[in-house]
Amino acid sequence: MTAALQPDPGLLERDAELDCLESALHRAAGGTGSVVLVSGEAGIGKTSLVRAFARAHDHVRVLLGACDDLVTPRTLGPLRDAMRNRGGRLATALLGGDRDAVLAALLAELEDGSNPTVLVLEDVHWA
């Protein structure tokens, strides 16, 4: 675990949110995963908050995907985004399209003990 998160000069009044993310990361590094929902109006800096957090923790593996605002979104699109150019069991499962295999591979990916993993899913409201 690294030292306390240093404030990002571009983020204003986000100490509580950063502390929440820091706490979740600390629990994940200890083997207890969790979900953190960063919500709010468009343009208030949700993505900036998550990116600043990720930059401050270069030892953390960050998988980033986004939900589509399409009438017919891509099947498992956010996970496909997150695994782009990474390979491995989850990427293989996504190619096969078996949802049970994808779920099992995703859980294995998140439980990988070599480094804490943060899975960021942007725009979940479109899912």
Side-chain angles (χ1 to χ4, degrees), residues 1-2 25 29 54 56-61 114-116:
M1 194 46 70
T2 61
L25 177 60
H57 296 286
D58 57 0
H59 68 288
V60 173
R61 188 168 56 132
S114 60
N115 282 324

Side-chain angles (χ1 to χ4, degrees), residues 28-99:
T32 303
S34 61
V35 173
V36 177
L37 175 65
V38 179
S39 65
E41 297 298 320
I44 66 165
K46 298 177 296 292
T47 298
S48 296
L49 172 74
V50 172
R51 287 183 180 164
F53 176 77
R55 278 193 310 272
H57 296 286
D58 57 0
H59 68 288
V60 173
R61 188 168 56 132
V62 177
L63 305 176
L64 177 62
C67 296
D68 299 320
D69 63 343
L70 304 172
V71 172
T72 307
R74 299 168 298 143
T75 303
L76 301 170
L79 295 180
R80 293 180 192 284
D81 291 347
M83 297 311 296
R84 184 172 294 137
N85 301 320
R86 290 190 184 264
R89 181 176 167 193
L90 180 54
T92 301
L94 285 164
L95 288 174
D98 178 343
R99 288 182 185 206

